[in-house]
C-alpha cells in the first residue's frame, strides 16, 4: 500500500513540470515538450503503480477517474494539436487537467482494493476508458470554446478555434458512442438487459444526445461560431453532471453505477 | 449575422418553427392520451405482429426514400433542422425521466405517474418522442437511397444502425422475458417467477443447484463511535486490510494485525479460534499503539453475524473503537446441473458476468441469501429470453462501427470547414 502514498508527490511534480513546460514552450520548444511529456508520463506511471498495488483497474472511484482524465486530456489535446499543427489548445487543456489533479490533491483517496463482482468483467476497462477518452476530447473542445467565445466572430482566431473544437468533438463523440455500446453489451451480460433507465445510463444518454445535437447543428450552420461555442459550454455542463453531479443528486441511491466511497 | 443568405435563413427558421411545433403537438397529444388512460403502460405488439410492423415501416420508408424526396414535407421531416428539433425534444423527455427517482412510482406526483414517466420504456409521451426521432432518422437514411453515390457509407452505417437499434428495441419489449429462479442447494426446479412473485411459469429444463460458492475480500478495518452505533470512518482515511502481519497507521495510532481468521468462533471471553463452519464470521487480533502517548490496546474484533456478536476494541483516550467492516463479496457463483428430458444431465457454472445459454434462455447469476453471506444455501438466477437479441446486436455493432468510421474519417470536418 505504501507505494500508493506517493500520489501527492507525483501530482505535485506533474503540476510543476506542466507549469514550467507551458512557460518554456514558446521560447525553447524542446525543453517545453520534454517537461510536458515528463509531467504526463509521471501520471501514467502513477496509474500503473496504483493498478498493480490495488490488484484491480483503478477506474472505480471518482478520484480514480479524475486521475485518468488528467493523464488523458493532455494526450488527447496533443493528438489533435499535432495532427492539425496547433499549439494554443495545450494552454487550455493542460490547465484544465491541472485543475482536476488539484481536486484530487484536496480530496485524498482511501485506495480501496475491493471490486464488486459486477465490475469483474472484460468490459470494465474498455467501457470506462472509452468514456474517459471521450471526456478528455470533449473537454478539450470545451476548453477551446472558452477561447473562441472571446474571439471576434469571423476572425481567424475564431475559425481556428472552431476547427479544433469540431475535430475534438468528432473524436470524442466516437469514443462516447463506443462507451455506450460497450456498456449496453456489458449490461446484457451482467444484468440481463441492455438498458435499464438507471440514472447513470440516463445521464450518459443525455450527454450523448447533447453532442449529437451539436454535431448536427454544426452541419446545418457551419458558420455560426458563437452559438457553437455556447453549445459546447452547455453540453459540457451535461457531461459534468453525468460524471460528478449524479453522486449529489437525490436519485443517486438508486443507481447501480455511482462511484462509491 | 450574415451567416446565411437571407432566403436560406428564412427557410431554416421556418423549418425550425415547424419542427418545434410538431414536437410540441406530439408531446401534448401523447400526454393527453396518457392522462386519459390513467398512465396505463404502453406495450408493443407481440411476435409476429411487431416484426410485421417493423417490416411495413421499413418498406414504407424505402418507398418514401425513392419517391418522396420531391415533396417538401418529406424533405423537411428527414432534414437537419428537424433532426435538431427531435434530438432536443427527446433530450427534454429523457431529462425529465432522468431526474425522477426510478421506482414503482407510488410515491411520485400524480402527473408523473399518469405520464408513466417512472418507467420510460412503457410511457406514452416518451415513446412518442422516440417515434419522432425514428421518423427523422428513418427519412434521413431512406432519403439518401437515390443519392447513393454521393452518400457515404459511414452515414448509412451510423444512421441505419441507430434506426435498427431503436426500432428493434422499442418493438421487442413485448417479447422480452425476464424471470427469477430461486433454488436451494440439493434441490432442482424449473419454476420461475417475475420479480414481485405475482406470475410464474416453467422453463423447458430443470436447474439443480449442486453448490453455491462465494468468496470475500480480506476484511477491512473500520472505526465506530464509542457506543458502537455509527461508523465514523471517513473517506480519505486509509483502508486497512486485516491481514496477519499488516502494519498501518490511522488517526495517530499504529495498528498491527497479530492474527486473522477467515472464519472463527469465540473461545472463552477474550479469544477466538478458527473454525470451518460456514456460520463462523471472520475475526482478527489487533494491537494498536498510540504514536504520541505510547499507550497500547490489544484485542479481538469481529463483524459478527446472527450467531456470533460483534466485538470492537476501544481506542483508549480517543473517541472511537477499532472494528471490522462487513466483508465484501469478491465473486459468487452457482454450480448447477441442467436437467433436460431425454438428455444426460450436464453440470455448468454460472457466475456474475458469465451467464450461460440453454435453448434460447440465458441464465445469469443474480443474487443469493445476502443475510447469510457465505452460509447462503440458495441462489437467485435470472432467466432471460430475448428473441430480438440478434437484431439489437446488429444495431449496436453498426452504431459502434459508424462511431469508429466517424472517429477516423476526416471528410466530414473538411467538408465543414470548406463551407
Ligand atoms: C451515431 C450517431 C450519429 C452520427 C455520428 C451522425 C453523424 C451525421 C453526419 C456526419 C451527417 C452528415 C452526413 C454527410 O453529410 O455525409 C449526418 C446527417 C444527418 N443526421 Fe446524423 N448522426 C448520428 C445520428 C443521428 C440521429 C440519431 C438523427 C436523428 C434523430 C440524425 C439525423 C440526421 C439527419 C436528418 C441528417 C441530414 C441528412 C441529410 O441532409 O440528408 N443523425 N449525421
Amino acid at each position: 500500500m505504501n507505494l500508493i502514498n506517493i500520489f501527492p508527490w507525483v501530482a505535485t511534480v506533474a503540476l510543476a513540470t506542466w507549469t514550467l513546460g507551458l512557460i518554456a514552450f514558446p521560447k525553447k520548444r524542446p525543453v517545453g515538450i520534454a517537461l510536458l511529456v515528463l509531467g504526463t508520463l509521471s501520471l501514467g506511471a502513477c496509474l500503473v503503480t496504483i493498478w498493480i498495488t490495488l490488484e484491480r483497474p483503478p477506474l472505480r472511484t471518482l478520484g480514480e477517474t479524475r486521475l485518468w482524465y488528467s493523464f488523458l486530456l493532455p494526450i488527447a489535446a496533443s493528438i489533435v494539436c499535432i495532427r492539425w499543427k496547433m499549439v494554443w489548445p495545450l494552454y487550455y487543456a493542460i490547465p484544465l487537467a491541472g485543475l482536476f489533479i488539484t481536486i484530487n490533491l484536496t480530496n485524498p483517496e482511501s485506495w480501496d482494493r475491493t471490486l464488486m463482482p459486477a465490475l469483474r468483467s472484460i468490459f470494465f476497462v474498455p467501457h470506462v476508458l472509452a468514456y474517459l477518452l471521450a471526456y478528455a476530447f470533449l473537454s478539450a473542445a470545451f476548453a477551446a470554446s472558452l477561447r473562441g467565445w472571446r474571439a471576434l466572430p469571423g476572425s481567424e482566431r475564431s475559425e481556428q478555434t472552431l476547427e479544433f473544437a469540431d475535430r475534438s468533438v468528432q473524436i470524442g463523440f466516437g469514443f462516447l458512442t463506443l462507451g455506450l455500446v460497450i456498456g449496453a453489451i456489458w449490461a446484457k451480460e451482467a444484468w440481463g438487459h441492455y438498458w435499464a433507465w438507471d440514472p447513470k445510463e440516463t445521464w450518459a444518454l443525455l450527454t450523448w444526445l447533447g453532442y449529437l445535437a451539436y454535431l448536427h447543428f454544426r452541419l446545418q450552420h457551419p458558420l455560426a461560431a458563437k452559438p457553437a461555442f455556447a453549445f459546447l459550454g452547455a453540453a459540457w455542463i451535461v457531461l459534468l453532471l453525468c460524471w460528478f453531479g449524479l453522486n449529489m443528486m437525490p436519485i443517486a441511491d438508486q443507481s447501480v453505477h455511482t462511484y462509491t466511497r | 449575422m450574415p451567416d446565411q443568405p437571407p432566403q436560406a435563413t428564412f427557410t431554416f427558421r421556418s423549418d425550425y418553427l415547424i419542427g418545434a411545433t410538431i414536437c410540441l403537438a406530439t408531446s401534448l397529444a401523447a400526454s393527453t392520451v396518457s392522462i386519459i388512460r390513467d398512465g396505463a403502460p404502453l406495450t408493443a405488439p407481440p411476435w409476429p405482429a411487431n416484426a410485421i410492423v417493423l417490416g411495413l415501416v421499413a418498406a414504407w420508408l424505402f418507398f418514401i426514400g425513392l419517391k418522396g424526396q420531391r415533396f417538401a414535407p418529406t424533405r423537411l421531416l428527414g432534414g437537419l433542422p428537424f433532426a435538431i428539433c427531435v434530438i432536443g425534444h427527446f433530450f427534454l423527455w429523457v431529462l425529465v425521466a432522468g431526474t425522477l427517482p426510478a421506482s414503482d412510482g407510488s410515491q411520485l406526483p400524480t402527473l408523473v405517474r399518469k405520464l408513466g414517466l417512472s418507467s420510460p420504456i412503457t410511457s406514452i409521451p416518451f415513446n412518442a418522442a422516440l417515434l419522432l426521432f425514428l421518423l427523422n432518422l428513418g427519412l434521413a437514411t431512406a432519403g439518401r437511397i437515390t443519392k447513393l453515390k454521393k452518400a457515404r457509407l459511414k452515414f448509412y452505417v451510423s444512421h441505419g444502425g441507430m434506426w435498427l437499434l431503436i426500432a428493434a428495441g422499442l418493438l421487442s419489449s413485448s417479447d422480452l422475458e425476464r424471470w427469477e429462479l430461486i433454488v436451494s442447494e440439493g434441490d432442482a426446479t424449473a419454476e420461475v417467477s417475475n420479480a414481485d412473485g405475482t406470475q410464474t411459469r416453467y422453463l423447458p429444463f430443470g436447474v439443480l443447484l449442486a453448490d453455491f460458492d462465494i468468496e470475500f475480500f480480506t476484511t477491512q478495518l473500520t472505526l465506530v463511535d464509542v457506543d458502537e452505533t455509527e461508523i465514523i470512518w471517513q473517506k480519505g482515511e486509509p483502508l486497512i486490510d486485516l491481514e496477519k502481519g499488516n502494519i498501518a497507521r490511522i488517526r495517530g495510532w499504529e495498528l498491527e494485525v497479530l492474527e486473522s481468521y477467515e472464519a472463527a468462533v469465540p473461545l472463552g471471553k477474550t479469544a477466538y479460534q478458527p473454525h470451518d463452519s460456514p456460520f463462523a464470521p471472520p475475526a482478527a487480533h489487533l494491537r494498536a499503539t498510540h504514536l504520541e502517548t505510547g499507550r497500547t490496546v490489544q484485542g479481538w474484533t469481529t463483524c459478527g453475524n446472527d450467531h456470533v456478536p460483534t466485538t470492537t476494541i476501544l481506542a483508549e483516550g480517543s473517541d472511537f473503537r477499532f472494528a471490522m467492516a462487513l466483508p465484501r463479496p469478491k465473486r459468487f457463483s452457482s454450480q448447477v446441473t441442467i436437467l433436460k428430458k431425454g438428455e444426460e444431465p450436464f453440470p455448468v457454472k454460472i457466475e456474475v458476468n458469465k451467464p450461460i445459454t440453454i435453448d434460447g434462455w440465458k441464465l445469469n447469476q443474480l443474487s443469493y441469501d445476502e443475510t447469510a453471506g457465505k452460509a447462503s444455501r440458495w441462489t437467485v438466477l435470472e432467466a432471460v429470453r430475448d428473441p430480438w437479441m440478434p437484431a439489437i446486436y446488429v444495431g449496436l455493432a453498426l452504431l459502434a462501427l459508424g462511431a469508429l468510421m466517424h472517429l477516423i474519417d476526416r471528410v466530414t470536418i473538411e467538408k465543414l470547414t470548406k463551407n
Side-chain angles (χ1 to χ4, degrees), chain A residues 12-66:
Chain A
T12 313
V13 167
L15 286 177
T17 46
W18 279 349
T19 311
L20 293 175
L22 286 182
I23 294 170
F25 199 91
K27 293 195 192 101
K28 287 213 162 71
R29 190 163 276 212
V31 178
I33 292 177
L35 284 170
L36 293 178
V37 169
L38 184 70
T40 311
L41 282 185
S42 60
L43 284 185
C46 188
L47 279 168
V48 173
T49 311
I50 295 170
W51 193 321
I52 294 171
T53 319
L54 292 183
E55 296 164 19
R56 64 165 176 86
L59 287 162
R60 210 201 78 188
T61 66
L62 268 184
E64 287 161 9
T65 58
R66 274 194 301 259

Side-chain angles (χ1 to χ4, degrees), chain A residues 144-177:
Chain A
S145 76
L146 292 179
R147 179 194 203 233
W149 184 253
R150 283 173 294 143
L152 203 66
S155 65
E156 165 100 30
R157 191 182 170 90
S158 169
E159 291 198 347
Q160 210 189 29
T161 312
L162 196 54
E163 201 183 324
F164 174 83
D166 282 341
R167 284 165 180 172
S168 305
V169 171
Q170 185 190 3
I171 301 173
F173 185 77
F175 282 116
L176 209 55
T177 310

